[in-house]
Amino acid sequence: MPDEANPFESLQEQIDDAAAYLDVPADVVNRLKHPERVLELTLSVELDDGTLETFRGFRSQFNGDRGPYKGGIRYHPNVSRDEVKALSGWMVYKCAVVDIPYGGGKGGIVIDPRGYSESELERVTRTFAKELRPFIGPDKDIPAPDVNTGQREMNWIKDTYEKLENTTAPGVITGKSPANGGSAGRVEATGRSVMLASREAFDYLDKDVTGATVAIQGYGNAGSVAAKLIEDLGANVVAVSDSSGAVFHPGGLDTRAVKEFKRETGSVSGYADAEEEFSNEELLTMDVDLLVPAALENAIDAELATQVEADVIVEAANGPITPDADDILTEKEVTVVPDILANAGGVTVSYFEWVQNRQRFAWTEERVNDELERIVVDAFDRLVEAYEEHDLPNFRTAAYVVAIQRVADAYRGAGSWP
Ligand code: GLU
């Protein structure tokens, strides 16, 4: 797509749209539109055959007014400086909208992990961790999983940091495996908040989630867990997709069986109990009650938005709808529950993990899920309050109104420096 939206410009536009409704001075808003610092790294790593490969890595620390920088690390061939900057900014407003005491950060490596062995990926990850070490820490900047990274990578980063620092510091990173200081419920947390946000939105709109038709674009961790939990609400997940394409069954798919099929074969395409297979674009324009984009940025651009027929969209991915598409969806009265609230379950349970690491005390999964539900429901209620009070055009603007106000209050409350 030659004219694909630049995610960093999208973020800045979203901030401006909301700031127009706030009494925050323009110079402070301007500060909140730019990262405090962006680290760009060259990682030289020896491959299994003895040759040296050079990778580009980034870490953007966008804003620390409300606490340490927080956000994931992504491994993807399309990672770029502007993408990481945007993702780090979205983390700032995500943490603010659910009111957890963090700023925002994000990192990434330009790599397609499918092309490398496990030991090569371990060396890439440990090299990245070594380079990041002076900039991260349980009170400074706390990375986490994102696209194509998970418990394995987080464990390596924790271990590298602790060895180099000659200490134990499980709170330097979240999303670890439970045996290495991870939290119960963290793997499912992003999908769980997508389910909770969908449930709250349907409730607000007086729509029945039981029997509602659902399409899910992307069947990685966020998409597949959201699919399962939304199916458990009694909804009918009729279509799911990944980069290989979409599978469809009008009577509803068995979301767990599709996940198992993808685990075995690498993709959802070819799943035997589907009635039809089609493209991702077709999935995104299906006439369903609920659409969940759970893949990457810019899935729905202006052209596609004109064809969207879903009533409600709940964003599991970060930045799946471009600002131009957003305007069209608002016009069409499609309710969009924004990423910074809907997928905030991941970072919220990361926060619980960090709290548990500091306390050296592990919570039960039930406690994790209960606390997560309370936080997501409170955040949704506060969003609706802002939406109605300021007569805002859509939920995204409402989420940013709440979040920007919180960051600006923290900035102003701190006084001026130097
Ligand atoms: N990568 C996730 C996100 O985009 C989680 C970040 C975290 O847990 O810090 O929200």
Side-chain angles (χ1 to χ4, degrees):
M1 261 185 282
D3 56 350
E4 186 159 310
N6 175 327
F8 183 56
E9 287 169 12
S10 300
L11 164 78
Q12 295 192 317
E13 198 171 328
Q14 290 161 346
I15 295 170
D16 281 335
D17 285 348
Y21 296 93
L22 281 168
D23 189 21
V24 175
D27 47 355
V28 175
V29 173
N30 193 40
R31 172 191 150 76
L32 301 182
K33 284 165 61 178
H34 298 277
E36 289 174 14
R37 66 183 71 79
V38 185
L39 192 65
E40 186 167 345
L41 302 161
T42 303
L43 309 173
S44 297
V45 181
E46 198 175 305
L47 301 183
D48 292 343
D49 66 3
T51 59
L52 201 62
E53 185 159 339
T54 299
F55 300 90
R56 278 220 101 44
F58 302 94
R59 182 77 184 169
S60 168
Q61 300 180 330
F62 199 97
N63 181 283
D65 292 336
R66 301 182 73 255
Y69 308 105
K70 184 86 191 83
I73 290 174
R74 163 176 301 204
Y75 289 0
H76 197 277
N78 295 345
V79 162
S80 68
R81 194 182 173 90
D82 272 0
E83 184 196 45
V84 171
K85 278 159 66 178
L87 289 162
S88 67
W90 284 324
M91 287 309 302
V92 175
Y93 300 103
K94 189 183 299 190
C95 294
V97 85
V98 288
D99 208 5
I100 56 176
Y102 288 137
K106 197 73 149 212
I109 302 180
V110 186
I111 183 173
D112 183 351
R114 288 173 304 186
Y116 297 88
S117 71
E118 175 154 353
S119 63
E120 288 170 335
L121 290 173
E122 178 166 359
R123 287 196 292 281
V124 169
T125 305
R126 286 192 187 272
T127 306
F128 191 42
K130 175 173 129 323
E131 294 300 326
L132 286 181
R133 184 185 60 87
F135 305 95
I136 61 175
D139 295 306
K140 286 194 223 169
D141 182 354
I142 306 140
D146 198 79
V147 173
N148 291 332
T149 61
Q151 293 180 342
R152 184 181 67 171
E153 289 74 15
M154 302 306 112
N155 291 347
W156 289 333
I157 294 173
K158 168 181 175 275
D159 184 68
T160 307
Y161 181 86
E162 290 183 331
K163 291 233 161 62
L164 293 172
E165 293 279 330
N166 189 30
T167 188
T168 57
V172 67
I173 194 148
T174 59
K176 304 174 293 290
S177 63
N180 296 69
S183 176
R186 175 63 185 85
V187 171
E188 296 216 328
T190 307
R192 184 169 292 277
S193 69
V194 172
M195 176 275 286
L196 293 167
S198 306
R199 188 190 76 190
E200 294 304 299
F202 271 61
D203 194 44
Y204 176 74
L205 297 167
D206 261 331
K207 285 169 74 76
D208 201 354
V209 81
T210 316
T213 51
V214 184
I216 304 205
Q217 179 237 6
Y219 219 59
N221 180 44
S224 64
V225 174
K228 176 181 84 171
L229 297 177
I230 290 170
E231 186 185 5
D232 290 349
L233 288 179
N236 205 9
V237 180
V238 292
V240 306
S241 71
D242 60 15
S243 52
S244 70
V247 291
F248 166 74
H249 196 301
L253 296 159
D254 178 342
T255 59
R256 288 171 175 83
V258 180
K259 187 173 185 176
E260 185 51 29
F261 180 81
K262 183 174 163 79
R263 203 185 56 76
E264 281 166 13
T265 66
S267 58
V268 301
S269 295
Y271 174 66
D273 284 332
E275 201 155 275
E276 233 183 283
E277 299 206 6
F278 43 71
S279 70
N280 265 288
E281 258 183 30
E282 283 170 281
L283 177 139
L284 291 166
T285 53
M286 280 179 70
D287 185 5
V288 283
D289 298 307
L290 171 63
L291 173 65
V292 178
L296 294 169
E297 301 92 71
N298 297 341
I300 302 177
D301 61 11
E303 201 187 313
L304 205 85
T306 58
Q307 300 165 49
V308 163
E309 291 200 40
D311 297 334
V312 181
I313 301 180
V314 177
E315 295 180 324
N318 290 309
I321 300 178
T322 68
D324 288 350
D326 239 346
D327 292 343
I328 292 164
L329 296 171
T330 300
E331 187 103 335
K332 289 171 73 166
E333 294 183 14
V334 177
T335 301
V336 176
V337 184
D339 47 6
I340 60 168
L341 186 132
N343 72 28
V347 73
T348 301
V349 176
S350 275
Y351 166 55
F352 299 158
E353 180 173 329
W354 179 78
V355 168
Q356 293 169 74
N357 289 157
R358 302 184 80 99
Q359 297 177 333
R360 309 276 170 160
F361 179 80
W363 300 1
T364 62
E365 185 163 355
E366 192 186 0
R367 175 168 178 197
V368 168
N369 290 345
D370 286 351
E371 296 273 0
L372 173 62
E373 178 160 359
R374 179 181 61 76
I375 285 185
V376 173
V377 171
D378 282 356
F380 187 86
D381 290 348
R382 180 70 197 94
L383 179 155
V384 166
E385 224 175 85
Y387 175 72
E388 292 178 348
E389 185 185 316
H390 299 277
D391 197 16
L392 297 173
N394 54 45
F395 280 178
R396 189 183 317 278
T397 307
Y400 277 93
V401 161
V402 172
I404 293 170
Q405 188 68 60
R406 286 185 177 147
V407 181
D409 286 349
Y411 173 70
R412 277 195 290 203
S416 58
W417 171 269

